[in-house]
Amino acid sequence: MNSIIEIERLKKSFGDNLVLKDISMNVNKGEVVTIIGASGSGKSTFLRCINLLETPTDGKIMYQGENVLAPGYNLPKYRTHLGMVFQSFNLFNNMNVLQNCMSGQVTVLGRKEEEAKKIAIENLEKVGMDRFIDAKPAQLSGGQKQRVAIARALSMDPEVMLFDEPTSALDPEMVGDVLRIMKKLAESGLTMVIVTHEMAFAKEVSDRVIFMDQGVIAEEGSPEDIFGNPKEARTKEFLHRVL
Ligand code: ADP
Ligand code: MG
């Protein structure tokens, strides 16, 4: 297997609250991994540790075979390889759609304005938001904002995209649009790690499903295994509650 990210024995505590307890997981190139689990089980903290928005308390994160927590490792560069899409969009509200998709390319990657603009527009076309380049986030619906957030992340040419419940804050009629775009990205071979409550979507797009419970990976497997033939009592119990 061709691992992009290898996580070994990751732990994270906030004060004396041990939120992630010894998590090990690999992400392989081109793989779509979904993470499911109850609220409070540590899913967001796990994603935030992967891109080091949170500093792990213990354990190792290897990217392309290198330990990203080693002293002197180029963290700003590492972060550019990981695109993140949040539940709450996190667009820059003072910038229009085009500027949102260009600014990181120019300031972080050092691309020229013209090139950044071309790449931004290509990605906005992919998510069907190219007609809105002059709009400010406040003028957009939640679903439109999330599509722009996806285009912004893609414009940085990430190796891996991390999604933290990208449809949880959306009105129901907008969820489908965003999921369709994510499905297209998955089919294009993009490596994705997705925290989601959309079980039908997880079943459809995942190569592997991880069920988290109280800070551990309680069970992982193919979507057929996890949804069709779960082994652990707590997986069964969770699925029974949400399906
Ligand atoms: P999930 O995304 O599965 O709902 P989270 O990772 O958000 O779970 O939260 C897991 C636990 O970690 C919760 O008990 C939450 O209160 C705690 N937690 C998350 N972030 C912080 C933080 N910044 N400071 C303190 N506790 C936190
Ligand atoms: Mg969360």
Side-chain angles (χ1 to χ4, degrees), residues 19-219:
V19 169
L20 300 179
K21 308 165 184 162
D22 205 343
I23 293 196
S24 297
M25 166 183 121
N26 285 5
V27 181
N28 300 312
K29 197 166 173 54
E31 192 178 30
V32 177
V33 180
T34 52
I35 302 175
I36 61 173
S39 178
S41 57
K43 305 179 301 297
S44 295
T45 303
F46 183 45
L47 277 194
R48 294 169 62 84
C49 281
I50 294 178
N51 66 7
L52 300 182
L53 284 175
E54 299 286 357
T55 307
T57 307
D58 200 1
K60 237 183 186 176
I61 300 176
M62 309 286 287
Y63 176 76
Q64 313 267 32
E66 288 191 72
N67 180 1
V68 310
L69 298 169
Y73 187 83
N74 189 344
L75 286 184
K77 179 111 189 281
Y78 171 65
R79 288 204 179 90
T80 68
H81 298 307
L82 305 181
M84 178 95 172
V85 175
F86 301 89
Q87 182 176 343
S88 52
F89 326 121
N90 297 14
L91 293 175
F92 306 120
N93 288 320
N94 57 331
M95 296 183 189
N96 70 25
V97 163
L98 184 62
Q99 290 161 340
N100 262 281
C101 294
M102 286 176 63
S103 73
Q105 296 190 65
V106 173
T107 58
V108 180
L109 301 181
R111 284 183 184 149
K112 299 225 158 48
E113 296 262 334
E114 273 315 295
E115 188 193 4
K117 183 172 174 183
K118 184 171 155 276
I119 292 169
I121 290 172
E122 279 167 14
N123 284 300
L124 286 164
E125 281 169 0
K126 270 193 209 165
V127 301
M129 287 299 292
D130 50 306
R131 289 184 300 117
F132 294 85
I133 52 174
D134 296 322
K136 288 279 183 68
Q139 298 168 287
L140 304 176
S141 71
Q144 291 173 329
K145 282 187 221 180
Q146 198 58 302
R147 283 148 65 190
V148 172
I150 292 171
R152 179 179 63 176
L154 291 174
S155 295
M156 302 293 283
D157 288 332
E159 285 290 330
V160 180
M161 283 279 282
L162 308 175
F163 294 86
D164 192 0
E165 297 194 30
T167 60
S168 292
L170 303 181
D171 291 332
E173 70 269 24
M174 316 222 161
V175 169
D177 288 343
V178 171
L179 294 181
R180 260 191 301 281
I181 288 162
M182 291 173 63
K183 182 159 182 264
K184 247 186 7 196
L185 293 174
E187 288 166 353
S188 78
L190 187 65
T191 310
M192 298 162 74
V193 181
I194 307 166
V195 173
T196 185
H197 286 299
E198 298 287 338
M199 296 300 145
F201 170 76
K203 196 170 170 181
E204 197 180 341
V205 305
S206 309
D207 296 303
R208 188 151 49 102
V209 179
I210 287 179
F211 169 60
M212 276 185 67
D213 185 52
Q214 298 184 28
V216 300
I217 295 179
E219 186 168 353

